Amino acid sequence: MNALPPSSGCASELALKERPSERAPVLRERGQREVFCGLTGIIWLHRKMQDAFFLVVGSRTCAHLLQSAAGVMIFAEPRFATAIMEERDLAGMVDAQEELDRVVGKLLQRRPDINTLFLVGSCPSEVIKLDLAKAAERLGAKHAGDVRILNYSGSGIETTFTQGEDACLASLVPEMPAGDSDGAKELLIVGSLPDIVEDQFLRLFKQLGIERVGMLPARNACDLPAVGPQTRYLLAQPFLSDTAMALENRGAQRLDALFPFGAEGTTAWLRAAATEFGIDEMHFNSVVAGPRKRAKRAIEHSREMLGGKRISFLPDSQLEVPLARFLTQELGMEPVEIGTPYLHRTHLARELELLPETARLSEGQHVDKQLDRVREDRPDLTVCGLGLANPLEAEGFATKWAIELVFSPIHGFEQAGDLAELFARPLRRRDVLRV
Amino acid sequence: MQLSVWTYEGPPHVGAMRVATAMEGMHYLLHAPQGDTYADLLFTMIERRGKRPPVTYTTFEARDLGKDTAQLFQDAARDAAERFQPQAMMVGASCTAELIQDDPAGLSEAMDLPCPVIPLELPSYQRKENWGAAESFYQIVRVLADRNIERAPREGRRPLVNILGPTALGFRHRDDLVEIRKILDELGVDVHLVAPLGASPQDITHIGAADFNIVLYPEIGDEAARWLEREFKQPAIRTVPIGVSATRTFIEEVAELAEVDPTSALGDNSSRMPWWSRSVDSNYLTGKRVFIFGDATHAVAAARIAHEELGFEVCGLGCYNREFARDVRAAAREYGVEPLITDDHMEVEDAIIAAQPEMVLGTQMERHIAKRLGMPCAVISAPVHVQDFPARHSPQMGFEGANVIFDTWVHPLVMGLEEHLLTMFRDDFEFSDENGPSHHAAHAPKMSQARAPTIDADVPEEPVVPADSGSIWTAEAERELKKIPFFVRGKARRNTETFASDHGRAEIDLDTLYDAKAHYAR
Ligand code: SF4
Ligand code: SF4
């Protein structure tokens, strides 16, 4: 096959971006969804916020999900656990709120190092209407001074996979101190990033001359940055709609930008901040030029493998749209179907403009129909969840596990090459194997 | 509420999934929210299945609650029946759907689906995975078995047997089955049906035609076997052929029920384990103290092998599945230990620390505990891990299973000759403690392993017992202690300290050290 995209490929599509009306309507489906629930976010959130503990109030299923999704036997000192509800809790033989007090008391006694405790709601706790907000308030008063107790829902009836992080961060927003509303503008980066990526970004902002930069979440949940009308925030992740809303309610303003994936995405993302903070264009270019060039070089390596290849995304993390844009724009791939559990039009507006109109966008899921489409489309690479990857491989499709995209550092200039490599590796492997 | 970081067993509907996934032509409709679809990855990733489990989840959402979850269920049932055309369909609820009380059984009955339906009631807030598998299998058999089946007279045909219990995601079920078939073949007994693994609903209808049943995994197969005993008067063999002597007993029992001659099956000359155990190199295995924990069947079998076939001393025995605790209690009595029945891995860890075994035989969880404590270990039981699905044949049952067990248990212990060499050359720099025996690097606690934030992190911890509570040790005694090979040094230190405190000695000098050694000498 020719390494160049077909004639209707990205180059000509990009020219048409001004006319979004030509895009086929988004396919909206209702059926079986094959995605994790929001509890899964605990796996990366607990590593990010090093003084926080996540207590799921749920069932054996919730506990089993957490241990299976992470593939974890056990971390030496896990900072998450499940309070498994039992028959007694449901049959009203014991008062669930009192039971919760008992479990939390026991936990805090064992873990005096905890500064923030999240009570995380699950489907069962929501269905029986166990009021975790009330519990958090009561327990917070009881343990005031030692631990802050917050709550959010990670339940599968309310949240899909990464929406758990959204709910968690949104629960932190009311806790953020009010900044000086007449003071100088401050930048806030929103979305949990691996420490190494966070540090890279902070260095870049510093070099740009933006001094006041906060992170949500902070590495220590007790060091929350301030928020107010002086706040300008950049989303580092595309799945943070509730958090964004909560920040807006406190006066913060969103800087519209591409998401920081690849050389182009990262440049655009940084530029949005630079422009807002009045950084001189020449200075911006001089700071960004080096790492940007490095990113381009690192990507080049995978371009040969990925250019002209067709890719489909099954809905998973909401990272699908920005990643499809990166792969199209910077690696010359051709997105066939871009499935996402939820399409946030405003946050993704710029990303969507850069997608070729031939790409089929789908929101929600009917997994069986979607797999039928994969079989019909025969993409060169399919991005999907762990439950679907091996079955698709067995049918002859190359796959990339979506969850790796959530667990690995993929943002920013220095990770652009790794991100491209994540997609190239399954294809390279197929070329290498002779068994 | 029970505070839990990790569980040995999943919820009961995962047990039902293991049954459905094992079968051909079966479909399972599970009323459950989207997050519960994680269970698919157990099969596709851990077991590397190349097919999706035959499970449809209704994935209802909050906005469906109170209005049309029942409709959602019925639509999903119709779709699944049409798309997958199963021979039969299991229907049930996960923990959340159990609370909304849509009654999957009633709903599907009202629908007049084109295939038989097996309604499952699996109380998620009381029961767990194994129970769920057993109950599901029993219901399948009860609903599908043709009760009018006539067993053909025994004359002029080979005896027929059903093998009950193997499922998807089972600990070595795939390979055990190969060994059992080999034995039955040698005995001249025909396998009528293996179920659930590989059986179709159609096959299950004929289950009554066999002469008797073999309950390979009682945790899963026994409930169905008891019903078959009553309904079809099929006797059941319950000896689980793990270990050489159990395999022999199993062969004799099968031969008796089948009325065949066991001689050739008993004479299987691929059984190397007895000689491996008797050969002089194995002398050093004598009296090794082992702590055993797993599901009841595998734990009891391991204890018997450890005690009778390897000459170990059982210093702890337990299981996580209460339903079968009775067997473990009985065995524990036999070996003079306190049975440990718990599903709290922290309790197991405490028990291991207290027992100070020289080796741990357990689940993947005990493997991690042992690794942290710097103890050798081998895995004997579910819950499964990707490592429990090796590419090679690796059974636990039959004579070959016993061979495999010999290797996997003995390998982690320092090899006999190697142990002598280490003692002889302990001062030689090449045998310096930091090196440790080569095959053992994975849990030599001194190896500072990368603390990379890997998934399935075998995060090494500092040894639980402080390595240096040295204050009461005299310098001389401390030096002497260093001369003791490192793999027994920790134990020597603990024993000496216990001895010192029991005997009110304020200081540990050379005498105390050797008094303690004499005290603990076997
Ligand atoms: S979907 Fe609901 S019940 Fe299932 S694991 Fe997630 S929170 Fe728990
Ligand atoms: S090194 Fe040997 S004993 Fe230790 S975990 Fe690996 S296999 Fe088991």
Side-chain angles (χ1 to χ4, degrees), chain A residues 30 32-35 59 64 67 70 73 82 84 87 89 99 102 156-157 159-160 368 372 386-387 390, chain B residues 1-2 4 6-7 34 37-38 40 44 50 52 57 59 62 64 83 95-96 125-126 345 364 368 455:
Chain A
R30 191 86 214 273
Q32 179 184 321
R33 302 168 66 105
E34 180 91 15
V35 277
S59 63
H64 202 233
Q67 78 193 47
M73 285 309 290
T82 309
I84 298 183
E87 196 63 18
D89 303 296
E99 273 293 283
R102 182 182 65 78
I157 55 175
T159 61
T160 299
D368 293 311
D372 287 346
L386 291 174
N390 268 336
Chain B
M1 277 176 205
Q2 191 201 350
S4 160
W6 188 87
T7 69
Q34 59 183 0
T37 60
Y38 80 87
D40 285 356
T44 62
R52 288 171 66 206
Y57 305 80
T59 61
D64 305 319
R83 177 176 278 269
C95 54
T96 308
Y125 299 90
Q126 293 169 30
H345 63 91
Q364 292 287 343
H368 282 248
I455 291 181

Side-chain angles (χ1 to χ4, degrees), chain A residues 37 39 59 61-62 65 122-124 154-156, chain B residues 33-36 95-96:
Chain A
C37 60
L39 294 184
S59 63
T61 314
C62 308
L65 160 99
S122 67
C123 306
S155 82
Chain B
Q34 59 183 0
D36 292 7
C95 54
T96 308

Side-chain angles (χ1 to χ4, degrees), chain A residues 83-114:
Chain A
I84 298 183
M85 293 192 280
E86 294 161 320
E87 196 63 18
R88 314 176 324 126
D89 303 296
L90 300 170
M93 285 156 68
V94 288
D95 181 87
Q97 294 280 0
E98 275 168 29
E99 273 293 283
L100 201 53
D101 288 7
R102 182 182 65 78
V103 170
V104 168
K106 193 167 129 192
L107 177 70
L108 292 178
Q109 199 174 10
R110 229 177 43 204
R111 300 298 302 267
D113 52 320
I114 300 169

Side-chain angles (χ1 to χ4, degrees), chain B residues 266-283:
Chain B
L266 286 171
D268 187 336
N269 52 19
S270 67
S271 177
R272 282 178 286 270
M273 199 267 211
W275 169 244
W276 256 241
S277 191
R278 283 176 192 281
S279 67
V280 287
D281 186 70
S282 296
N283 253 323

Side-chain angles (χ1 to χ4, degrees), chain A residues 30-38 47 53 55 57-65 67-78 80-90 94 96-97 99-100 102-103 106-107 110 123-128 130 155-161 163 366-369 371-372 375 386-392 394-395 401 407, chain B residues 1-14 33-46 48-53 55-65 68 72 79 83-84 94-96 98-100 123-129 343 345-346 363-368 372 383-385 451-461:
Chain A
R30 191 86 214 273
Q32 179 184 321
R33 302 168 66 105
E34 180 91 15
V35 277
F36 289 132
C37 60
R47 301 194 79 113
F53 194 101
L55 180 64
V57 183
S59 63
R60 181 168 300 280
T61 314
C62 308
H64 202 233
L65 160 99
Q67 78 193 47
S68 310
V72 181
M73 285 309 290
I74 190 169
F75 293 107
E77 284 294 326
F80 62 83
T82 309
I84 298 183
M85 293 192 280
E86 294 161 320
E87 196 63 18
R88 314 176 324 126
D89 303 296
L90 300 170
V94 288
Q97 294 280 0
E99 273 293 283
L100 201 53
R102 182 182 65 78
V103 170
K106 193 167 129 192
L107 177 70
R110 229 177 43 204
C123 306
S125 78
E126 265 159 43
V127 169
I128 65 164
L130 183 57
S155 82
I157 55 175
E158 295 278 5
T159 61
T160 299
F161 196 23
Q163 285 176 328
H366 185 305
V367 68
D368 293 311
K369 288 190 186 162
L371 289 173
D372 287 346
R375 291 177 188 119
L386 291 174
L388 300 173
N390 268 336
L392 281 172
E395 286 183 42
W401 321 339
F407 287 163
Chain B
M1 277 176 205
Q2 191 201 350
L3 191 61
S4 160
V5 175
W6 188 87
T7 69
Y8 286 95
E9 289 184 77
H13 70 258
V14 168
Q34 59 183 0
D36 292 7
T37 60
Y38 80 87
D40 285 356
L41 77 87
L42 305 172
F43 300 90
T44 62
M45 297 304 290
I46 296 179
R48 297 178 211 253
R49 280 187 175 254
K51 266 202 244 162
R52 288 171 66 206
V55 181
T56 295
Y57 305 80
T58 57
T59 61
F60 56 86
E61 296 170 43
R63 58 180 171 173
D64 305 319
L65 292 181
D68 49 8
L72 207 64
D79 281 359
R83 177 176 278 269
F84 300 103
S94 78
C95 54
T96 308
E98 186 182 331
L99 296 173
I100 59 179
S124 310
Y125 299 90
Q126 293 169 30
R127 302 297 195 157
K128 292 181 233 161
E129 179 178 332
D343 61 356
H345 63 91
M346 292 188 251
T363 72
Q364 292 287 343
M365 176 49 76
E366 285 68 45
R367 183 173 71 88
H368 282 248
R372 279 206 296 277
V384 290
H385 181 274
R451 276 171 196 252
T454 48
I455 291 181
D456 187 7
D458 287 337
V459 183
E461 270 190 347

Side-chain angles (χ1 to χ4, degrees), chain A residues 8-80:
Chain A
S8 65
C10 60
S12 54
E13 294 302 323
L14 288 181
L16 294 176
K17 72 184 177 188
E18 300 303 307
R19 284 176 287 154
S21 54
E22 300 205 354
R23 181 187 296 290
V26 173
L27 186 60
R28 257 191 213 85
E29 281 182 312
R30 191 86 214 273
Q32 179 184 321
R33 302 168 66 105
E34 180 91 15
V35 277
F36 289 132
C37 60
L39 294 184
T40 326
I42 292 172
I43 293 158
W44 63 89
L45 288 168
H46 93 281
R47 301 194 79 113
K48 181 70 197 176
M49 294 184 238
Q50 293 170 4
D51 56 350
F53 194 101
F54 294 80
L55 180 64
V56 176
V57 183
S59 63
R60 181 168 300 280
T61 314
C62 308
H64 202 233
L65 160 99
L66 280 177
Q67 78 193 47
S68 310
V72 181
M73 285 309 290
I74 190 169
F75 293 107
E77 284 294 326
R79 272 177 291 101
F80 62 83

Side-chain angles (χ1 to χ4, degrees), chain B residues 236-250:
Chain B
I237 288 185
R238 290 194 164 76
T239 298
V240 177
I242 303 182
V244 173
S245 60
T247 299
R248 289 205 180 110
T249 312
F250 173 82

